[in-house]
Amino acid sequence: MSRSSSRRLVGLTVLCAALVAACSDPPTSGGSGQTQTAGSDGAGETALPECPLDALDDATGPVDASLWYGGLAGTTKATMDAMVDRFNQSQDQVNLQASDQGSAYEEIFRKYESAASASTDQLPDIIYLEDTHLQAMIDGGNVLPAQACMDADGYDLTDIEPVARAVYTVDDVLYPGYINASTPVLYYNKAHWVKANLDPDDPPGTLDEIYEQAKALKAAGVSDKPLSFRASRWFFETWLSGIGEDIVNNDNGRDAPATEATFDTPEAEELLGFLKKMNDEGLLNAFANTEGSIDHYLALVQQQSSMLIETSTASTTVRDVLGGSITAAEAGVDFDDSVLDKSELVPGATAFPGIEAPGKVYPTGGAFYILNTSDPAQQAASWQFLKFMLQPENAKEWHLNGGFLPIVKSVQDEDDVQAFWQDDVAGVLLFPAVEQLSEADPDQPGPLIGPYVDESNAIEDALDGVLFDGQDVGSALSTAQETVTESLERYEAN
């Protein structure tokens, strides 16, 4: 890439901000559990509530509807706003107003909980939330399953990628109307691989390969602590899922409500022991998962580290900053450029390095829910917007400019999408995640947990205890599992 080093550094710093917005671990609310079965194609027999499509035609004028979103920055936020504008201009039945509720997923869900506890009149008609909120939203009772509207309107659910449907399907019902899917990938500085006499086109694909290449990078004096690592439950869960290990019982909460945690296994102990070994040998640059922090990204940007595991979503932001299309401020980051090392930095991305093989992931990200607290006409109007986003030309926009993965099957076959993956900086960085989505197993959709905040906190306490406080791996995992089980028992009792 023939860019100045300072521009590359700005690009990677903007990437930091975008990743913070896209991957933060949000809180969840309590509620009553229910029997669940994850359907692979949304063709279950569960009775669906009525979707009041006729109410929109019966309205005497344009119906006003509202959308709350958050956790989007830079070109991803611009894509959201442009999508709403284009929808409003495309028809005259609905006037949709979109409201940015904050730079992190946590903020929008906290505002949702606050509004829901005060009065449902204060809630929007559509809300965009992170994937971990699914069970809590179902249990809260405020969601009109989008599948009800899809069935009523003749939309074919099989047009959506099976693994994306599987993640958000509960009791054979698909709940959100559109899914912004992402996966973790490995970002790395190709220039460091060259300096360490490593092949820049052969980055690590497994944890063992990370260890070997990190040792080579450190031995060559290229980076002090080669792997920058945010101690997040997201990566812990994804690693275990990749080898078929569940976080909670009842098939990861998919066959029935989870009643106990199950992650304290020899495989998990070996995983956490691996991270401890990396840390003890000075190969891991560990950071606590603090809301809003970008220190783990700056470690890569400032070249203290050579690689970083994070979300796929920031690819378009990197492209636009490198090309000068947007500023760092527009991308949602405030930083002091004087602290950056101006040496050469060339970003690359590759599949998520797994325990046994690369790319073993399930899609995460965010989803758009229709709330049933609105008037029937507003519920029908909400579906019209989500149906608009499901049109291939709009789903493609989420991929090309929003940085999310193509969940509508036909998008991947488009000529301009194929060219994007080959010729565009964003597409090249994003393509490893596209391949991961295509190869992901719908029968491994990840955990379904109501009190996700408690699960997140417990696992991250274990990670922090081992990496920062020298706790014993076995004791840390055992304590975390007991804490999550107790939380699940309280949740199911409410």
Side-chain angles (χ1 to χ4, degrees), residues 186 203-213 239 274 351-359:
L186 180 74
T206 64
L207 293 184
D208 287 342
E209 290 174 4
I210 279 185
Y211 176 73
E212 293 302 326
Q213 294 192 30
W239 273 317
F274 169 83
F352 178 74
I355 293 176
E356 297 177 348

Side-chain angles (χ1 to χ4, degrees), residues 273-305:
F274 169 83
L275 295 173
K276 182 180 186 302
K277 176 182 177 181
M278 289 275 292
N279 196 49
D280 291 346
E281 295 184 16
L283 304 175
L284 191 73
N285 202 357
F287 297 89
N289 187 28
T290 304
E291 182 179 339
S293 173
I294 64 171
D295 289 346
H296 48 301
Y297 308 115
L298 289 176
L300 184 69
V301 173
Q302 294 173 309
Q303 303 196 58
Q304 299 165 2
S305 298

Side-chain angles (χ1 to χ4, degrees), residues 119-248:
S119 170
T120 56
D121 292 340
Q122 299 179 24
L123 292 173
D125 304 304
I126 309 171
I127 191 164
Y128 175 68
L129 295 168
E130 197 174 29
D131 59 285
T132 53
H133 295 133
L134 174 61
Q135 184 66 69
M137 290 299 292
I138 295 170
D139 292 340
N142 290 335
V143 177
L144 171 66
Q147 185 176 334
C149 298
M150 292 175 176
D151 289 354
D153 206 14
Y155 181 81
D156 187 355
L157 274 74
T158 63
D159 288 343
I160 302 173
E161 288 287 344
V163 69
R165 299 198 312 271
V167 169
Y168 291 95
T169 294
V170 178
D171 205 15
D172 290 329
V173 174
L174 178 64
Y175 278 85
Y178 193 83
I179 300 160
N180 276 347
S182 60
T183 68
V185 295
L186 180 74
Y187 291 96
Y188 68 107
N189 182 358
K190 288 188 172 185
H192 281 195
W193 263 246
V194 174
K195 293 177 182 178
N197 292 318
L198 297 170
D199 184 351
D201 295 321
D202 187 25
T206 64
L207 293 184
D208 287 342
E209 290 174 4
I210 279 185
Y211 176 73
E212 293 302 326
Q213 294 192 30
K215 285 200 301 182
L217 289 159
K218 187 176 181 68
V222 174
S223 52
D224 293 335
K225 296 181 177 181
L227 177 62
S228 180
F229 177 71
R230 174 170 64 100
S232 167
R233 59 91 201 162
W234 184 31
F235 311 129
F236 180 87
E237 292 172 4
T238 304
W239 273 317
L240 292 181
S241 175
I243 57 171
E245 292 287 309
D246 290 344
I247 300 300
V248 291

Side-chain angles (χ1 to χ4, degrees), residues 66 68 111-127 140-143 371-375 378-379:
S66 59
W68 282 5
K111 290 179 181 179
Y112 165 80
E113 286 192 309
S114 177
S117 64
S119 170
T120 56
D121 292 340
Q122 299 179 24
L123 292 173
D125 304 304
I126 309 171
I127 191 164
N142 290 335
V143 177
L371 298 186
N372 61 19
T373 53
S374 304
D375 292 336
Q378 291 171 312
Q379 294 178 39

Side-chain angles (χ1 to χ4, degrees), residues 24-40:
S24 48
D25 300 323
T28 55
S29 64
S32 59
Q34 64 181 56
T35 301
Q36 306 135 13
T37 302
S40 62

